Amino acid sequence: MGQALGCIQVDQSTIAIEEGFGKFDEVLQPGCHCVPWCFGKNIVGYLSLRIQQLDVRCETKTKDNVFVTVVASIQYRALPEKAEDAYYKLSNTREQIQAYVFDVIRASVPKLILDDVFEQKNDIAKSVEEELSKAMSTYGYEIVQTLIVDIEPDERVKRAMNEINSAARLRVAANEKAEAEKILQIKRAEGDAESKYLSGLGIARQRQAIVDGLRESVLAFSGNVPGTTAKEVMDMVLVTQYFDTMKEIGASSKSSSVFIPHGPGAVKDVVSQIRDGLLQANEAGN
């Protein structure tokens, strides 16, 4: 009924293109308008002022001959003040934008190696946006934003990149493990050296204490038993120690068999060897 009376309604964020006798007349803003069709007036189309998005997938190759698919997301809208150009100059806006995106991406990406494509995707997006803005403003469109949302190399290339990354991480892990083992071995060697050093100090102090004890015993015995010499007392002490040792070896249930020469002459030789050893230890301690 409204159209029969020449009244139309233009929705919000939309403009209507009015022609008179086939020629552009004016742009109708949102609201109610009278379009007397009997005077040759006619609405030939509508133009949305909302921001629209176009996703473009472009396959190209990099400088190092790797084929990649670059996905660009273009956000654009028609300019109300250039509605006539936006409606009449382009027959297919989306295909026109896609052609410019292909042109810029295929001119930019082949100059870069694959790693640089990932690192410089913002620069690529900026180049696309600048080229589109210059071209599409002539046709009454504004480029709001351009984003490179995805870069997809060939599947075999992605597997190779993952293997390279994995190998590098394994190499770092092996180096760290080797370094840790090296530190452990160094610390173990330092601990062993310190243990042997302290053990040597203990043995030296033990021998010194034995020598000091024997010396005191010899002096005390010589003082209490007149007519005895230090050598005689020393021989007796050593023989006593010898028999005590034999007794302990025989009494131990876990001791192994020990074969040693035994007899008066052998005991005398043992006494001489022990005495010489103690005297040498005493000289070394002093």
Side-chain angles (χ1 to χ4, degrees):
M1 185 65 180
Q3 293 180 353
L5 297 176
C7 295
I8 67 164
Q9 175 184 307
V10 180
D11 296 333
Q12 184 66 31
S13 298
T14 305
I15 55 177
I17 306 298
E18 179 184 337
E19 290 182 354
F21 297 104
K23 181 181 179 182
F24 172 74
D25 189 10
E26 64 175 327
V27 176
L28 301 182
Q29 300 298 324
C32 185
H33 300 272
C34 181
V35 182
W37 57 270
C38 57
F39 294 104
K41 302 294 184 180
N42 185 30
I43 301 299
V44 294
Y46 295 88
L47 195 63
S48 175
L49 300 180
R50 295 179 180 179
I51 294 178
Q52 302 179 63
Q53 178 167 310
L54 172 64
D55 292 331
V56 180
R57 298 178 62 88
C58 176
E59 185 179 17
T60 183
K61 78 178 187 68
T62 62
K63 188 176 182 180
D64 47 351
N65 296 321
V66 176
F67 280 87
V68 295
T69 299
V70 180
V71 182
S73 181
I74 314 299
Q75 298 174 353
Y76 65 98
R77 67 184 182 94
L79 296 172
E81 62 273 15
K82 294 184 177 182
E84 181 183 357
D85 293 336
Y87 186 80
Y88 287 102
K89 285 190 175 182
L90 288 178
S91 60
N92 193 320
T93 305
R94 299 174 72 85
E95 287 187 2
Q96 186 75 11
I97 293 175
Q98 181 174 290
Y100 279 108
V101 173
F102 282 171
D103 181 65
V104 175
I105 290 179
R106 287 174 176 168
S108 301
V109 173
K111 298 178 182 178
L112 306 172
I113 62 174
L114 182 59
D115 291 340
D116 291 342
V117 173
F118 283 95
E119 294 176 2
Q120 301 181 26
K121 69 183 188 70
N122 290 334
D123 296 337
I124 298 173
K126 186 176 179 181
S127 299
V128 173
E129 183 175 343
E130 290 176 353
E131 185 67 24
L132 281 176
S133 296
K134 289 188 295 183
M136 298 306 294
S137 61
T138 306
Y139 303 111
Y141 283 91
E142 176 191 12
I143 303 301
V144 179
Q145 184 70 275
T146 300
L147 302 172
I148 302 297
V149 296
D150 199 7
I151 299 173
E152 302 175 358
D154 183 81
E155 188 63 32
R156 290 173 297 179
V157 175
K158 288 196 288 186
R159 285 199 301 267
M161 293 174 67
N162 290 333
E163 290 175 0
I164 292 173
N165 194 337
S166 176
R169 292 180 181 275
L170 289 175
R171 184 168 58 251
V172 172
N175 290 336
E176 294 294 334
K177 183 178 179 181
E179 190 66 24
E181 291 179 354
K182 175 183 175 182
I183 293 173
L184 287 175
Q185 290 179 0
I186 292 174
K187 292 299 181 182
R188 192 179 295 114
E190 291 177 351
D192 187 52
E194 184 69 17
S195 174
K196 290 180 180 179
Y197 172 73
L198 294 176
S199 177
L201 288 179
I203 292 173
R205 290 175 181 175
Q206 180 186 24
R207 290 177 178 176
Q208 185 63 41
I210 292 173
V211 171
D212 293 341
L214 289 175
R215 183 171 57 248
E216 292 177 1
S217 298
V218 170
L219 293 176
F221 194 89
S222 299
N224 294 329
V225 183
T228 57
T229 63
K231 180 179 181 302
E232 294 173 345
V233 176
M234 190 66 181
D235 292 341
M236 185 182 67
V237 172
L238 293 177
V239 170
T240 303
Q241 292 290 331
Y242 173 77
F243 283 111
D244 288 341
T245 301
M246 295 295 294
K247 180 179 178 181
E248 290 180 2
I249 293 174
S252 176
S253 61
K254 297 182 179 180
S255 62
S256 302
S257 298
V258 178
F259 296 94
I260 58 175
H262 187 68
V267 172
K268 183 177 179 182
D269 292 339
V270 171
V271 170
S272 299
Q273 293 174 11
I274 295 175
R275 182 174 61 250
D276 294 341
L278 292 174
L279 292 176
Q280 291 175 4
N282 187 26
E283 293 176 358
N286 295 332

